[in-house]
Each structure stands twice: as structure tokens, then as C-alpha cells.
Amino acid sequence: MSVEIGHFALVLALALALVQSLLPVVGAKRNDFRLMSVAEPCAAAVFALILLSSAMLVRAYVASDFSVLNVVENSHSLKPLLFKITGVWGNHEGSMMLWVLILSFFSALVAVFGGNLPNTLRANVLAVQGWIATAFLSFILFTSNPFVRVIPAPIEGQDLNPILQDIGLAIHPPLLYLGYVGFSVCFSFAVAALIDGRVDAAWARWVRPWTLTAWIFLTGGISMGSYWAYYELGWGGWWFWDPVENASFMPWLIGTALLHSAIVMEKRGALKIWTILLALLTFSLSLLGAFLVRSGVLTSVHSFATDPGRGLFILAILVFFIGGSLTLFALRAQTLTTGTMFQPVSREGALVLNNLFLSTATATVLIGTLYPLLLEAMTGTKISVGAPFFNMTFGPLMIPLLAAVPFGPLLAWKRGDLYAVAQRLMWVFGLSLVSIGLVLILVDPRAVWAAFGIGLAAWVILGSLMDIVTKAGFGKVELSRAFPRLLGLPRSVFGTALAHMGLGITLLGVVVVTSFGTEQVVIMKQGESVAFSGYQLRYDGQQPFAGSNYTEDQGLFTLLHQDGRVANKVTAAKRFYPARNMPTTEAGIITRGVNQYYVALGDAIDGGGMVVRLWWKPFVTLIWLGTVAMIIGGFLSLMDRRLRVGAPAKASAKKPVKAVSGAV
């Protein structure tokens, strides 16, 4: 019965989403407050119904209800409880349920916290959210219903894809979708503004917190996905330029541009048209990612290969929202004011430069991702666009952008003094040169590009600190006055500095592990040792282990100091899942400081030996620690009082609204 409740709740949610998508727009057009006021309770009710439906699906998984086809195909009675729950979104139907649940959650948040928005803007925003909800609820009910029954019910399920039975799956998809779907609010604000024909600084103030929230979660989702692939797939890499990885990276790039553009619009009233376009493009790229993952056009560890009907439905959604929004933008952009002017050398100019490079980088990734698909569709020719293309095109675009990062926060609005800012950054420049020299002298005199990359990372990190030092007045006022000024700085100043610093930390990890990491493939027998980056790694043999729904052969290793003392013990394994008849590789990872020793088992050979792959990963954890710093910086900025207060509240005196015919 609970399965039918979940199904009916989805049907009711679709009906209410239709109401939410139509009546508020009509009310805004007629200036009818009663019709506009339908939006808030509808948004809350849609969220409650989808939450109920999702709870019923989770219940079916937890109870191993194998009368439900989705549970049969993706669960098993012996699977641990955590993976029964996370397995709900480890498949196409369940992931779409998670998508609409988060979408309805954001709509409900707009309804609850949007009380200071103008009535027409709030009604139009919630109506656009209703359009999106209607489209995806229709997609679920007509092509991807997770509540389809199977009769007779089998005794046992087919289990979840083994590589998805990991704690990373409990974190990665929800974070990623909170970012993807969070940008729908920015999209809705942009479409609502185009419908209303009014865009101003207050609009940017309302949009910024939603943009920042989505950006924070998308950053966390991409980072968690990268680390999950790194340790779960046993390949020793942290980024593959996989098309589905790119599908999440593109909204992040253009969303970062949107975040900076919204700042210019809020502070200076400039870049209005460009900011609206970025808001449309950011969510459009999120929708494109949904199409790539669920259309079956890609083969990837991340993707859900599905039937063509689903792909065509998603493509129709893509055409409607992307094509429709861009058409509306083309029709209304000429009616929008361009905003105030500013000098090229200014903080606005620096943020425009940021937008230019980020947008170009996004276009580069988009071309590299879609070109093979388009070529195959038109000519039948299959080509592969991999890391060499992206490294040669994306990398050079990032160098000038990263070089400019420390300048932006130090420049004044409207008209800046580039020479004065350069003087403040001289110490940073000098220390960056020192870091380059130390790498060349102490590490490897031939590693010129690595030294340059480390120097650039130092430039970004130290430049971010200089922003705080300068704003606090260190070096200009007495310490007794500088420290109180430091504590009194807005949280957004610390958030911006920490986010930029995190970017530099990630860059440092990428450069060091790419340039100085090592890999070796060896054949080891029990009791043998091999040199491993300053240590000895001893193979202690194998032992069997039986998990709840798998068996594995564990390889036991000991990391030894040169004098024979034990540094660490580590276990790598070859795991087998009988229900799926599928093996996986479980890597053994030793973390020492910011470095990691990575061990993966290969195949057994005659004579009792084992092929073992060893990676030395210096500074690799900085890649993800940097993203953590970005996330914390985003939260600090979100906690800034200026964002929490939001736009000014509406005047108490309400404008008269059109009377409804037949009203008492």
C-alpha cells in the first residue's frame, strides 16, 4: 500500500505543480493578488507530496520490497542498510526523484523566505519553478516511474552496481543535485525578470544568496565525486575529463562567473544584461548535464544508459527551457537598461575579465565534450577527445585568470589604481619568485613548468592573504588599531579571501602531484619488499574476507622506514559481488601529512606472485582540502549580514490590486 501512496503523491504533486505554474503568472499579469498568492501554498504542498513519495520509495528499499521493479533492479536483501538507502538515488528513476525533491525544496524555500520580494516577481519566480517541476514530474511519471510493480515478485533483488556501494554515493549525488537544481532558482529569477521587464540592483541582491548556495553545494559535489572516483575505481587519478565530469564542471565554471557578475550588478548596477544571460546559461548547462547522463548517448561510470524514449523526453525539456529562455532573452534584452559605466582598470573591470576567461573556458569544455557526439551523430565517425585536448586548451586560459585573482579585491570600484595595487603585491610577487627558485634549486632544476605552477599557486594564496592584511590596515596603522579592524571586517571579505586561497591550494596540489608523483608496477611475493618513495613496502600475503553481500581477497602490506620500523599497515583488495557477478578493486591508501601512498592489486600470477600497482601522490590531498576551503569561504560569505538581511522589505502601504469578479 505504501508504494501506491508514493505513486499517488507524485500524481497529486504534478497536478499542484500545474496550478503553481499557471495561476501565479495569470495573477501577475492581471495584478490579481489572490491568484498570485496561490504560489506559496502550492510550492509548499508540492514539496510535502514529493517528500512523502520519496519516503515511500526509501521504505520500499529498506524493507526489500521486491514487488517494486526499481527495488528488484537495484537492491538486495543482504545489502547494508546505508547502501539500501543510498541505493535509492543510485539509479535513473531514484536519481530523478532526488532531483525533483530538491527542486521542490528550493521552491518551498523561495516561498518561505521570499516575503520581501515584490508580489509579481515572487509569483513569476515560483511559477517558473512550477514549470520546471511539471516537466520533470511528467518525465518521471510517464517514462521513469520508480513505483512500477512486478508480478510475481522475485525472491531476491539483483543488487546495486558494486562501485556505487560506497559512502561516497551517500554524499556525492545529493551535493551535486543541490548545486545543479539550486541554480534553477537563479534561472527562475532571470526568466521572471525578463517577463516583468525590470532588472535592478535589488534583483541582484535577491539572486546572490541563491547563486552562492548552489555554488557551494556544486563545489562540494564535484570535489566529493572526484575523491570517490580516486579511491573507489583503483586507477590512481583524480580527474579524467570524462564527459559526465565535464557536465558538472561546466555549470560550476559559468556559475562562478555568475557569482562575480552579480556582485558587479549589486554594487554598481552594471552588467545587467550579461548577468541575466549567465543565470539562464548556468541552469541550461545543468539541464544539458541531465540529458548527457540520462539520454544513453554516453558510456561512463557516472551515466545511466537508458532507452531512447527517455532521451527524447529530456531533449524536449532541454529545447523548451533553454530555447524558450534564450528566445525570451533575445526579445526582451533590448528593453533592459545597460547599467552604469566604469573604467577598465577597476574592480568591475577585474570581474569582467574573470567572466571573460571563465566563459571562454566553459565554451572550450563544452566543445570538447559535445564535438565527438555531434560528429558521430552526423557522420558516424567515432573520435575521442581526452585529457591532452583539455589540458592544452583549458590550462592556458586559467593561467592569466589565476594571475589576475589577487588584483581584483584590491582594486577600487569604478576607477582603480593598478600601480598602487601592484606596489602592495610586491612582497607577494617576491615570495612567489622565491618559491619558484626553491623548487628549481632543491627539487629539480629541470622542472621549470612545475616551478612556475607552484609559484602561481603561491601568488594566489599569498595574494588572498594580502587582501585581508590591506583591508585591516596592517603596515599603515598601529597594531592596536589593526587587529580590531581585522575582527570588524565583513564576513564576506574573509569568505572571498578563503575561497581564493582554496583555489590556490587546489592548484598547488594539482601541480605537485602531476609533476612529481610516481607510478610503478611490480610483481611481489609474500615477504618481499620494494622501495617506495623513501620507504620500503612489504607484501605480507593474502587473506580471504566475507562481507554482507560480497567476498574479497585482501592483500596485506606494511610500510616500513628504512631502518625497519613499521610506519603504517595498509590493505588492498579484489572484491567480488555474487549477485551482480562483478568484481571491483579496493585500493589501499596511506595518508601521511598531505601526501598519500596508493596501493592497488592486479592479477595473480603463476608461482604465487601478485601484480601490484604503486603510486606516490605528493600533496594530493591539497586538491580536496582546497575545495573545502572554497566551501567554507562560500559559507562565510553567505553568513555576511548584508546577504542575510537581503533586499529592503516592501513598503507597508500596498498598491491596490485588481478586484476579482464575483468577489464579495
Side-chain angles (χ1 to χ4, degrees), residues 520 530-537 559-563 597 616:
Q520 53 183 317
V530 296
F532 192 15
S533 298
Y535 291 86
Q536 291 288 318
L537 184 71
L559 190 69
L560 303 167
H561 292 282
Q562 294 295 344
D563 59 4
Y597 297 82
W616 158 238

Side-chain angles (χ1 to χ4, degrees), residues 345-564:
V345 179
S346 61
R347 190 176 300 185
E348 297 97 321
L351 292 172
V352 168
L353 184 70
N354 161 287
N355 274 223
L356 175 64
F357 281 106
L358 286 174
S359 301
T360 307
T362 304
T364 299
V365 178
L366 180 64
I367 292 170
T369 303
L370 295 186
Y371 177 71
L373 304 177
L374 296 175
L375 185 65
E376 182 179 356
M378 292 187 294
T379 67
T381 303
K382 292 186 178 182
I383 65 169
S384 176
V385 176
F389 168 81
F390 292 105
N391 292 339
M392 290 296 293
T393 55
F394 181 82
L397 288 171
M398 291 296 101
I399 293 174
L401 174 62
L402 292 169
V405 164
F407 284 93
L410 294 174
L411 287 169
W413 292 104
K414 194 173 182 180
R415 184 191 299 271
D417 188 341
L418 187 61
Y419 179 72
V421 172
Q423 284 184 313
R424 296 189 192 119
L425 291 172
M426 284 303 295
W427 279 102
V428 175
F429 183 70
L431 291 174
S432 301
L433 289 180
V434 169
S435 66
I436 294 174
L438 290 175
V439 172
L440 294 175
I441 295 171
L442 301 179
V443 181
D444 187 351
R446 298 167 298 177
V448 177
W449 287 111
F452 173 77
I454 292 171
L456 184 59
W459 166 257
V460 175
I461 295 170
L462 297 175
S464 303
L465 291 174
M466 182 57 68
D467 178 36
I468 297 177
V469 170
T470 300
K471 286 182 170 63
F474 286 100
K476 290 186 176 181
V477 300
E478 297 176 356
L479 291 179
S480 59
R481 294 175 55 194
F483 279 108
R485 286 178 60 174
L486 176 67
L487 297 177
L489 289 175
R491 291 177 181 175
S492 61
V493 173
F494 291 103
T496 299
L498 190 57
H500 289 172
M501 191 184 305
L503 186 63
I505 293 171
T506 294
L507 174 63
L508 180 61
V510 169
V511 171
V512 174
V513 74
T514 303
S515 303
F516 302 114
T518 62
E519 176 184 358
Q520 53 183 317
V521 180
V522 297
I523 297 175
M524 302 183 70
K525 294 184 178 181
Q526 185 172 352
E528 290 184 346
S529 300
V530 296
F532 192 15
S533 298
Y535 291 86
Q536 291 288 318
L537 184 71
R538 187 180 67 209
Y539 177 40
D540 296 326
Q542 285 188 296
Q543 68 178 18
F545 178 82
S548 56
N549 61 334
Y550 64 88
T551 60
E552 67 180 17
D553 290 322
Q554 298 179 342
L556 308 178
F557 297 87
T558 302
L559 190 69
L560 303 167
H561 292 282
Q562 294 295 344
D563 59 4

Side-chain angles (χ1 to χ4, degrees), residues 20-30 35 123-124 127-128 131 195:
Q20 178 186 338
S21 64
L22 295 175
L23 293 187
V25 174
V26 175
K29 184 70 174 177
R30 297 179 178 179
L35 287 179
N124 284 330
V128 177
W131 300 348
I195 293 173

Side-chain angles (χ1 to χ4, degrees), residues 209-295:
W210 299 105
T211 305
L212 186 56
T213 300
W215 182 88
I216 290 169
F217 285 117
L218 187 56
T219 303
I222 294 173
S223 176
M224 186 66 245
S226 169
Y227 191 65
W228 168 76
Y230 168 76
Y231 72 78
E232 176 64 21
L233 300 183
W235 65 303
W238 54 274
W239 191 261
F240 190 65
W241 290 109
D242 179 282
V244 182
E245 290 176 337
N246 297 346
S248 63
F249 192 40
M250 288 185 289
W252 185 87
L253 288 171
I254 207 71
T256 304
L258 170 62
L259 189 59
H260 290 83
S261 180
I263 294 173
V264 177
M265 184 174 170
E266 178 192 348
K267 298 291 186 181
R268 300 292 304 156
L271 303 183
K272 293 181 180 179
I273 298 175
W274 176 244
T275 305
I276 290 287
L277 179 60
L278 287 178
L280 299 178
L281 292 178
T282 303
F283 185 61
S284 296
L285 289 172
S286 296
L287 291 177
L288 178 63
F291 171 73
L292 292 176
V293 174
R294 291 169 179 81
S295 62

Side-chain angles (χ1 to χ4, degrees), residues 21-293:
S21 64
L22 295 175
L23 293 187
V25 174
V26 175
K29 184 70 174 177
R30 297 179 178 179
N31 200 24
D32 188 327
F33 179 74
R34 281 200 242 183
L35 287 179
M36 287 189 286
S37 63
V38 169
E40 290 88 345
C42 275
V46 168
F47 170 62
L49 287 168
I50 296 177
L51 181 63
L52 173 62
S53 181
S54 300
M56 294 299 100
L57 184 59
V58 171
R59 183 182 184 279
Y61 268 82
V62 171
S64 294
D65 184 354
F66 296 125
S67 68
V68 180
L69 180 61
N70 186 255
V71 179
V72 173
E73 293 177 341
N74 299 283
S75 192
H76 193 278
S77 60
L78 296 179
K79 192 168 64 172
L81 177 61
L82 174 63
F83 299 146
K84 286 183 178 179
I85 296 173
T86 60
V88 172
W89 53 79
N91 59 89
H92 169 76
E93 293 83 0
S95 68
M96 293 311 303
M97 282 288 292
L98 180 63
W99 178 286
V100 295
L101 176 63
I102 294 174
L103 176 69
S104 63
F105 173 67
F106 275 107
S107 298
L109 287 180
V110 174
V112 172
F113 296 106
N116 59 347
L117 296 172
N119 291 328
T120 55
L121 179 62
R122 183 173 69 251
N124 284 330
V125 168
L126 289 174
V128 177
Q129 289 290 106
W131 300 348
I132 302 171
T134 299
F136 279 96
L137 284 169
S138 300
F139 175 72
I140 291 175
L141 287 170
F142 296 130
T143 72
S144 309
N145 192 341
F147 296 107
V148 173
R149 292 280 194 179
V150 55
I151 300 175
I155 298 175
E156 190 55 86
Q158 299 172 11
D159 208 356
L160 181 66
N161 187 335
I163 64 173
L164 301 180
Q165 296 188 38
D166 184 83
I167 187 63
L169 183 68
I171 304 171
H172 168 55
L175 285 178
L176 200 64
Y177 283 7
L178 282 166
Y180 272 158
V181 183
F183 283 122
S184 70
V185 179
C186 309
F187 176 87
S188 298
F189 267 96
V191 173
L194 290 172
I195 293 173
D196 202 31
R198 187 181 67 181
V199 181
D200 51 22
W203 179 91
R205 175 69 65 85
W206 289 315
V207 167
R208 265 190 71 199
W210 299 105
T211 305
L212 186 56
T213 300
W215 182 88
I216 290 169
F217 285 117
L218 187 56
T219 303
I222 294 173
S223 176
M224 186 66 245
S226 169
Y227 191 65
W228 168 76
Y230 168 76
Y231 72 78
E232 176 64 21
L233 300 183
W235 65 303
W238 54 274
W239 191 261
F240 190 65
W241 290 109
D242 179 282
V244 182
E245 290 176 337
N246 297 346
S248 63
F249 192 40
M250 288 185 289
W252 185 87
L253 288 171
I254 207 71
T256 304
L258 170 62
L259 189 59
H260 290 83
S261 180
I263 294 173
V264 177
M265 184 174 170
E266 178 192 348
K267 298 291 186 181
R268 300 292 304 156
L271 303 183
K272 293 181 180 179
I273 298 175
W274 176 244
T275 305
I276 290 287
L277 179 60
L278 287 178
L280 299 178
L281 292 178
T282 303
F283 185 61
S284 296
L285 289 172
S286 296
L287 291 177
L288 178 63
F291 171 73
L292 292 176
V293 174

